[in-house]
Amino acid sequence: MARRAAAGLLRRLGPLAGELQARGMSPTHYGTTNHGFSRFYLLQVAHIQRNPAYSVLNSDDVSYFKIVLGESSVVQDEDRVAVANVDWMGKYKGSSQLLLLPKSTTEVSKILSYCNSRRLAVVPQGGNTGLVGGSVPVHDEVIISLGGMNNIISFDNVNGILTCEAGCVLENLSSFVENKGFIMPLDLGAKGSCHIGGNISTNAGGLRFIRYGSLHGNVLGLEVVLADGTVLDMLTTLRKDNTGYDLKHLFIGSEGSLGVVTKAAILTPAKLPSTNVAFLSCNDYMSCQKLLLAAKRNLGEIVSAFEFMDRHCIDLAMKYLEGVQNPLPASPYSFYVLIETTGSDESYDKAKLEAFLLRSMEDGLVADGVIAQDISQASNFWRVREGISEASVKVGAVYKYDLSIPVEKLYDIVEEIRSRVGGMGEVLGYGHLGDGNLHLNIVSNKYSDKILAQIEPFVYEWTSNQRGSISAEHGLGLMKAEKIHYSKSSEAVQLMGSIKNPYCSWKRSYGAELIEPSLWLVPIQRRL
Ligand code: FAD
Ligand code: MLT
Ligand code: ZN
């Protein structure tokens, strides 16, 4: 059986135009907000009371912002504000009346300083592609969009260091550095809309994490504006700097709860000339695991992505994504794996991948497979994988979980949830297997408490029992702010609270009546 499949694979082996990056060739543009869907899921916010300590916006505030930013950067137009009030999934909806579009760090600083003194709540917004409800207001917070701060400041050609403003769209940065012979260390399906500032604030993982690691390693420096308007200049481009605490790490992944990221310096790896993409099928999850181990051992230095998806994902992608073809249409399999290799030697890399796949088929790990012969096939493979989230929201309602779990246990939760949900919804398991990151999506026609009750708190308890994380890469946002204790100890949460607002602990210690300096109303604050 394996030999027959191996023969089939060999026929389809072929080179991929090495000098082109497959994913970069097929940019996926997602609109800022997915307004095709009007099914706001307000159940989660219903219990969150607006904090009366925050002021209500008035006409004097608006006049002040117009003086500081200019008329065109102070948006009250209902349609434009409505777009910024809703998240990409059409699931979380705020009721802000005001969208501000600063063009410089000084303007961000003036906005925050003013909001702080007036006790106006704010929410920073990047490309609004976040999947946990953190990018939109919960109530009437002023939305500060970084979209107007989209300049590339400099590029160091020798060291591959990009310095840019926070509102630059990831895909634009990718094109820019690729022209210089480098690539961005991160890539994700939302690249056409998400901002680098949003990526940093969520510590986005994505498709290249397995090769280039976390933004904690790739961000060299940041400029951040604190809640009271103080500009914190940490915009170094040094690789090594051990002078005191490396404060930038507090802002990477803190979802706007500590400050607004305004500029970043990022280390970009050299663009390598040879890329190959394989799309494979496996009969069971154990084979996917063994394949991952084999890829680490045998493809080691050239693996640049190892993604997996179950049959339900492929079925959904084929049903809802226009113009996408099933790379392995002959028969359905239980699991699919996408492996990308990137290296510096075209013939060596290709031969290495082919040999690996043949051996994996002979060992029975791979049931069938195909290697992209050209850029358009490679783009199609990636479109299947990257399009799963887009296909999911088209069903109607999506309950989205993003878990870090030891690889050997990772698919158990999908099966558990599938049996709990039964016929009420379709359960999808996919994600960044190479990073131990499962995306568990439950899709159905409409949101229902009955389905939710089958998923939560079970999914969080189960993950916690495995010492996993309830947010591998999407963040906590509004969805999971109050679930933080499933992944962090109470001592850790308390320390986070004192970092966020040191005045609270001073107040407790000294009984002093200090004014709280931070007026963030991003969801994480409620927990801390
Ligand atoms: P937003 O959604 O606007 O904001 C996200 C959070 O960051 C909010 O809490 C917001 O307040 C805060 N924020 C934004 N900008 C700033 C700033 N300048 N300063 C301070 N705080 C700020 N995520 C992954 O990790 N991996 C993936 O593979 C991935 N794939 C995706 C695919 C699709 C199709 C979609 C729709 C989303 C995907 N995401 C993924 C989630 C999302 O794209 C990322 O979280 C992304 O980093 C968010 O960037 P953004 O600019 O859209 O930020
Ligand atoms: C992905 O890997 O596709 C993303 O994180 C988006 C999602 O999970 O929907
Ligand atoms: Zn992901």
Side-chain angles (χ1 to χ4, degrees):
M1 182 66 186
R3 281 195 183 282
R4 207 150 52 83
L9 173 68
L10 252 190
R11 278 199 304 279
R12 279 175 270 159
L13 292 175
L16 175 64
E19 70 283 7
L20 298 169
Q21 284 288 327
R23 293 198 290 273
M25 288 300 293
S26 176
T28 311
H29 290 273
Y30 293 93
T32 308
T33 306
N34 185 353
H35 273 286
F37 310 94
S38 55
R39 30 160 222 289
F40 305 125
Y41 188 46
L42 297 171
L43 298 176
Q44 301 205 25
V45 296
H47 68 287
I48 296 176
Q49 295 298 312
R50 186 185 185 284
N51 184 342
Y54 296 117
S55 308
V56 174
L57 186 78
N58 64 31
S59 57
D60 288 347
D61 301 325
V62 176
S63 305
Y64 174 82
F65 292 130
K66 284 184 177 168
I67 293 167
V68 171
L69 308 178
E71 292 265 346
S72 62
S73 298
V74 180
V75 181
Q76 288 179 289
D77 172 75
E78 275 183 24
D79 291 344
R80 289 178 69 193
V81 177
V83 168
N85 263 311
V86 185
D87 77 315
W88 184 83
M89 293 179 289
K91 190 166 173 180
Y92 301 92
K93 183 178 180 251
S95 53
S96 176
Q97 305 292 307
L98 189 67
L99 166 67
L100 299 178
L101 303 168
K103 289 180 287 305
S104 67
T105 303
T106 308
E107 289 186 359
V108 174
S109 167
K110 283 184 178 160
I111 294 169
L112 291 179
S113 159
Y114 179 84
C115 288
N116 193 47
S117 62
R118 267 278 295 133
R119 303 189 72 78
L120 285 169
V122 301
V123 59
Q125 188 173 85
N128 198 8
T129 65
L131 298 171
V132 287
S135 55
V136 292
V138 179
H139 296 291
D140 57 346
E141 301 93 297
V142 172
I143 304 169
I144 305 176
S145 166
L146 277 292
M149 292 181 62
N150 57 2
N151 294 305
I152 289 171
I153 298 164
S154 65
F155 188 74
D156 171 347
N157 265 311
V158 178
N159 300 297
I161 299 167
L162 170 75
T163 306
C164 65
E165 289 184 318
C168 291
V169 170
L170 177 60
E171 191 167 69
N172 296 343
L173 294 178
S174 283
S175 307
F176 175 85
V177 298
E178 282 193 27
N179 281 334
K180 309 263 180 201
F182 293 83
I183 61 166
M184 291 300 284
L186 81 160
D187 184 22
L188 48 147
K191 56 183 156 281
S193 296
C194 64
H195 296 178
I196 193 68
N199 299 148
I200 290 167
S201 301
T202 56
N203 188 23
L207 307 159
R208 291 180 182 157
F209 191 101
I210 190 172
R211 177 73 165 262
Y212 300 111
S214 151
L215 283 172
H216 281 289
N218 296 305
V219 172
L220 299 180
L222 287 182
E223 178 190 81
V224 175
V225 184
L226 303 180
D228 64 358
T230 304
V231 178
L232 202 56
D233 180 356
M234 304 170 287
L235 197 60
T236 173
T237 54
L238 304 171
R239 290 294 299 275
K240 299 175 88 173
D241 175 15
N242 279 354
T243 49
Y245 303 150
D246 199 344
L247 292 176
K248 68 171 183 282
H249 290 296
L250 281 176
F251 298 89
I252 301 172
S254 58
E255 299 177 69
S257 61
L258 296 176
V260 174
V261 174
T262 45
K263 293 188 186 115
I266 296 153
L267 185 63
T268 68
K271 181 177 165 183
L272 300 176
S274 141
T275 298
N276 287 285
V277 189
F279 200 92
L280 316 171
S281 61
C282 301
N283 286 321
D284 49 45
Y285 180 66
M286 181 55 83
S287 301
C288 300
Q289 278 183 66
K290 288 183 177 163
L291 192 66
L292 172 63
L293 187 62
K296 283 183 179 168
R297 289 228 166 93
N298 301 308
L299 294 174
E301 76 287 0
I302 58 170
V303 174
S304 51
F306 193 105
E307 297 288 316
F308 99 114
M309 58 223 108
D310 64 20
R311 181 174 52 79
H312 305 268
C313 299
I314 298 288
D315 292 347
L316 200 79
M318 291 312 123
K319 186 166 174 192
Y320 289 106
L321 301 179
E322 251 173 62
V324 175
Q325 279 149 23
N326 186 344
L328 296 171
S331 57
Y333 296 92
S334 299
F335 294 92
Y336 296 83
V337 169
L338 186 157
I339 300 179
E340 184 192 77
T341 65
T342 307
S344 54
D345 186 323
E346 179 70 52
S347 51
Y348 166 85
D349 292 350
K350 199 176 97 202
K352 202 168 170 167
L353 180 62
E354 286 174 3
F356 169 74
L357 293 183
L358 281 176
R359 189 172 331 144
S360 303
M361 294 186 103
E362 282 169 1
D363 291 347
L365 301 184
V366 169
D368 196 4
V370 56
I371 293 183
Q373 315 252 358
D374 56 32
I375 253 336
S376 97
Q377 281 186 9
S379 299
N380 180 61
F381 294 1
W382 271 113
R383 179 85 179 106
V384 175
R385 166 60 188 89
E386 290 184 290
I388 298 169
S389 26
E390 187 190 338
S392 309
V393 292
K394 287 186 176 167
V395 177
V398 51
Y399 305 82
K400 201 172 257 300
Y401 301 89
D402 161 41
L403 312 169
S404 260
I405 303 170
V407 171
E408 55 285 12
K409 293 267 180 187
L410 184 139
Y411 202 72
D412 292 358
I413 183 67
V414 182
E415 284 167 344
E416 293 257 15
I417 293 288
R418 197 166 278 143
S419 83
R420 290 174 69 90
V421 168
M424 289 190 292
E426 183 86 48
V427 179
L428 315 174
Y430 62 100
H432 316 289
L433 193 65
D435 312 325
N437 181 181
L438 170 73
H439 292 312
L440 167 68
N441 284 6
I442 298 92
V443 295
S444 69
N445 297 343
K446 58 179 167 56
Y447 289 108
S448 108
D449 284 346
K450 228 171 137 194
I451 299 180
L452 189 61
Q454 288 305 316
I455 308 170
E456 296 186 19
F458 179 83
V459 68
Y460 297 128
E461 287 168 356
W462 191 95
T463 305
S464 186
N465 288 339
Q466 308 299 326
R467 294 191 64 84
S469 171
I470 59 155
S471 175
E473 58 172 10
H474 294 165
L476 293 171
L478 178 61
M479 178 188 177
K480 289 176 280 186
E482 292 179 5
K483 316 284 186 215
I484 191 171
H485 60 276
Y486 284 108
S487 292
K488 290 284 185 299
S489 68
S490 56
E491 292 78 13
V493 173
Q494 208 175 341
L495 183 57
M496 287 187 210
S498 58
I499 290 169
K500 167 147 178 56
N501 193 350
Y503 291 86
C504 286
S505 19
W506 292 359
K507 198 168 161 181
R508 271 200 297 278
S509 311
Y510 305 111
E513 275 310 306
L514 291 167
I515 292 174
E516 182 189 337
S518 161
L519 289 179
W520 303 112
L521 199 65
V522 292
I524 199 169
Q525 187 200 12
R526 293 198 180 74
R527 176 67 205 158
L528 304 180

